[in-house]
Amino acid sequence: MTTSAASSEPPRLAIIGAGSMGSGLAALFALRGFPVVLVDPVEGALARADAAIDRQLAALATPEQARAARARLVPATAQAAAAQAELVIEAVPEKLELKRRIFAELDALCPQRTVLATNTSGLSVNAIAVAVSPERRKRFVGAHFFSPADVIPLVEVVRGDSTDEASSGFVMDVLRQAGKRPVLVRRDIPGFIANRIQHALAREAISLLEKGVASAADIDEVVRWSLGIRLALTGPLEQRDLNGIDVHHAIASYLYADLENRTTPAPLMAGMVERGEIGAKAGQGFYPWPAEQRERHLADKSQALTELAAWLQQREAQ
Ligand SMILES: NC(=O)c1ccc[n+]([C@@H]2O[C@H](COP(=O)([O-])OP(=O)(O)OC[C@H]3O[C@@H](n4cnc5c(N)ncnc54)[C@H](O)[C@@H]3O)[C@@H](O)[C@H]2O)c1
């Protein structure tokens, strides 16, 4: 087990996969002083990542800081470039067999002390970890970042059945050093914490839309300006304390029976996927997304999220 996260020297990192998450993570860690190798063998992927990293650094840092970050970031097409890293974070597409293949290679390439982390959104950490040796499984964790990876502070650090405390602790230290807010998920449960809660909320929102209770814009308006604005300051459990658990219990007693509880995706959503109406990237989702409006919207949201996260963290530090 490496200990350099506790010392002043940031440990060497490797990010496998230079897509939207991998490029964001590379920019973030390099900016925070970590030497980073960014590996992607797919034709054109590193060039696309390069442009994305430039945009991210321009938004987050001064030109001087951006240049220093760039100097710490080494792109590579061969996985062997990850062999010197103390922590490897995988961010390749969400396919179990691909992830397993990559970790089997990393297990063979990296020294025994290297900690391996997967940024899977919801695949089982244990199911991916079968690809590495039983000894390495102690140093295998989930590190679930949120998009945009360089902006959202929280990371779920997920322990598999074999993960030892030193390894999850090491990953949490590295993340804190990078300015993140890691939370330990003590066991490998599908969707971890955030996606379980996000999907419970989205299942009900889609069901309300399907039943014609309100328009998509009105459902979003209700959530944003009631629960949403409050959630930025108060989690759902603390909020129950504030509202009164007796009140919540009384409402839960009659409401739960009426809530959406289907165990497969809504027909409305399945139809949208079939028609290719898959959201902003396709020009149509619950809303229309003309290309020029989409770009402006994404840039504006990213900027606003950065400012909001900074404001909330500053406020909390007071
Ligand atoms: N996008 C999100 O909002 C989000 C949030 C949290 C977690 N995740 C998870 O992060 C992972 C990556 O997601 P993404 O959105 O960045 O995907 P993406 O498709 O944008 O990027 C994946 C990258 O992996 C590369 N790749 C493919 N095969 C590879 C290989 N053999 N070796 C190295 N690189 C390879 C691709 O070229 C691509 O650049 C997924 O597991 C996803 O579920 C995504």
Side-chain angles (χ1 to χ4, degrees):
M1 166 61 43
T2 179
T3 54
S4 58
S7 72
S8 55
E9 193 71 4
R12 287 186 301 278
L13 304 187
I15 315 280
I16 313 294
S20 54
M21 294 306 285
S23 60
L25 293 175
L28 165 85
F29 284 111
L31 198 55
R32 292 293 180 142
F34 292 80
V36 180
V37 174
L38 179 61
V39 180
D40 201 314
V42 176
E43 175 92 37
L46 286 173
R48 281 191 296 278
D50 212 43
I53 290 168
D54 273 345
R55 280 198 300 277
Q56 283 157 323
L57 290 176
L60 295 172
T62 64
E64 208 168 303
Q65 289 168 329
R67 265 194 301 279
R70 274 282 176 195
R72 291 183 207 106
L73 211 169
V74 177
T77 50
Q79 198 137 284
Q84 303 305 315
E86 286 155 84
L87 170 62
V88 180
I89 302 172
E90 164 274 315
V92 303
E94 189 80 341
K95 294 179 187 151
L96 180 61
E97 280 316 314
L98 174 65
K99 287 186 192 285
R100 280 184 175 160
R101 184 160 55 73
I102 284 171
F103 279 115
E105 280 169 36
L106 287 167
D107 192 26
L109 270 170
C110 298
Q112 223 20 275
R113 65 174 187 281
T114 308
V115 176
L116 304 182
T118 173
N119 179 38
T120 177
S121 299
L123 293 172
S124 155
V125 171
N126 290 326
I128 303 172
V130 297
V132 302
S133 67
E135 182 54 30
R136 175 84 65 185
R137 282 177 213 157
K138 296 178 189 165
R139 285 178 284 284
F140 191 95
V141 298
H144 180 221
F145 293 82
F146 293 78
S147 174
D150 48 353
V151 174
I152 304 294
L154 195 112
V155 185
E156 293 176 311
V157 175
V158 185
R159 258 199 217 142
D161 290 349
S162 309
T163 312
D164 63 23
E165 273 191 45
S167 300
S168 52
F170 169 70
V171 173
M172 292 186 64
D173 282 346
V174 167
L175 292 169
R176 284 193 199 98
Q177 250 184 292
K180 290 289 185 193
R181 298 173 69 116
V183 164
L184 184 67
V185 180
R186 293 192 206 119
R187 73 188 172 89
D188 183 20
I189 179 168
F192 314 135
I193 295 171
N195 267 331
R196 292 179 82 90
I197 293 176
Q198 173 162 253
H199 278 261
L201 179 68
R203 179 168 66 175
E204 187 57 41
I206 292 169
S207 172
L208 288 167
L209 182 65
E210 219 171 28
K211 289 176 182 146
V213 174
S215 67
D218 283 347
I219 292 168
D220 280 352
E221 179 79 0
V222 168
V223 175
R224 283 184 60 206
W225 292 100
S226 61
L227 314 177
I229 195 163
R230 213 161 56 183
L231 277 171
L233 293 165
T234 315
L237 298 178
E238 187 187 350
Q239 190 63 48
R240 300 287 71 74
D241 275 358
L242 297 178
N243 289 20
I245 292 165
D246 53 339
V247 177
H248 193 78
H249 179 266
I251 299 170
S253 303
Y254 66 80
L255 188 58
Y256 279 13
D258 202 59
L259 294 180
E260 185 56 72
N261 67 353
R262 56 163 59 107
T263 55
T264 52
L268 173 72
M269 183 164 46
M272 290 171 77
V273 172
E274 242 174 62
R275 291 190 299 278
E277 294 171 6
I278 54 172
K281 62 187 169 188
Q284 181 68 47
F286 292 112
Y287 300 89
W289 291 95
E292 67 297 348
Q293 185 188 323
R294 180 183 65 210
E295 291 317 310
R296 228 179 317 118
H297 186 90
L298 288 179
D300 177 59
K301 276 270 149 84
S302 177
Q303 179 64 31
L305 273 175
T306 307
E307 288 168 18
L308 181 61
W311 182 82
L312 286 167
Q313 302 221 67
Q314 215 170 25
R315 188 177 179 280
E316 201 175 88
Q318 281 166 6

Coordinates of all heavy atoms in Angstrom, one line a residue, residues 244-256:
G244 N -40.4 17.2 10.7 CA -41.1 16.4 11.8 C -41.3 15.0 11.2 O -42.0 14.8 10.2
I245 N -40.7 14.0 11.9 CA -40.8 12.6 11.4 C -42.3 12.1 11.6 O -42.7 11.3 10.8 CB -39.8 11.7 12.1 CG1 -38.4 12.2 11.6 CG2 -40.0 10.3 11.7 CD1 -37.2 11.7 12.4
D246 N -43.0 12.6 12.6 CA -44.4 12.2 12.7 C -45.2 12.7 11.5 O -46.1 11.9 11.0 CB -45.0 12.8 14.0 CG -44.7 14.4 14.1 OD1 -43.8 14.9 13.4 OD2 -45.5 15.0 14.9
V247 N -44.9 13.9 11.0 CA -45.7 14.4 9.8 C -45.3 13.5 8.6 O -46.2 13.1 7.9 CB -45.3 15.9 9.6 CG1 -45.9 16.4 8.3 CG2 -45.6 16.8 10.8
H248 N -44.0 13.2 8.5 CA -43.6 12.4 7.3 C -44.2 11.0 7.4 O -44.7 10.5 6.4 CB -42.1 12.4 7.3 CG -41.6 11.8 6.0 ND1 -41.5 12.6 4.8 CD2 -41.2 10.6 5.6 CE1 -41.1 11.8 3.8 NE2 -40.9 10.6 4.3
H249 N -44.3 10.5 8.6 CA -44.8 9.1 8.8 C -46.3 9.1 8.4 O -46.8 8.2 7.7 CB -44.6 8.7 10.2 CG -45.1 7.3 10.5 ND1 -46.4 7.1 11.0 CD2 -44.6 6.1 10.3 CE1 -46.6 5.8 11.1 NE2 -45.5 5.2 10.7
A250 N -47.0 10.1 8.8 CA -48.4 10.2 8.5 C -48.7 10.3 7.0 O -49.6 9.6 6.5 CB -49.1 11.4 9.2
I251 N -47.9 11.1 6.3 CA -48.1 11.2 4.8 C -47.7 9.9 4.2 O -48.4 9.4 3.3 CB -47.3 12.4 4.3 CG1 -47.7 13.7 4.9 CG2 -47.4 12.5 2.8 CD1 -46.9 14.9 4.7
A252 N -46.5 9.3 4.6 CA -46.0 8.1 4.0 C -47.1 7.0 4.2 O -47.2 6.1 3.3 CB -44.7 7.6 4.7
S253 N -47.8 7.0 5.2 CA -48.8 5.9 5.5 C -49.9 5.8 4.5 O -50.4 4.7 4.1 CB -49.5 6.1 6.9 OG -48.5 6.2 7.9
Y254 N -50.3 7.0 3.9 CA -51.3 6.8 2.8 C -50.7 7.0 1.4 O -51.2 6.5 0.4 CB -52.5 7.9 3.0 CG -52.1 9.3 2.9 CD1 -52.0 9.9 1.7 CD2 -51.9 10.1 4.1 CE1 -51.7 11.3 1.6 CE2 -51.6 11.5 4.0 CZ -51.5 12.0 2.7 OH -51.1 13.4 2.6
L255 N -49.6 7.7 1.3 CA -49.0 8.0 0.0 C -48.3 6.9 -0.7 O -48.4 6.7 -1.9 CB -48.2 9.3 0.1 CG -47.7 9.9 -1.3 CD1 -48.9 10.3 -2.2 CD2 -46.8 11.1 -1.1
Y256 N -47.5 6.1 0.1 CA -46.7 5.1 -0.6 C -47.4 4.2 -1.5 O -46.9 3.8 -2.6 CB -45.9 4.3 0.5 CG -44.7 4.9 1.1 CD1 -44.5 6.3 0.9 CD2 -43.8 4.2 1.9 CE1 -43.4 6.9 1.5 CE2 -42.7 4.8 2.4 CZ -42.5 6.2 2.2 OH -41.4 6.8 2.8

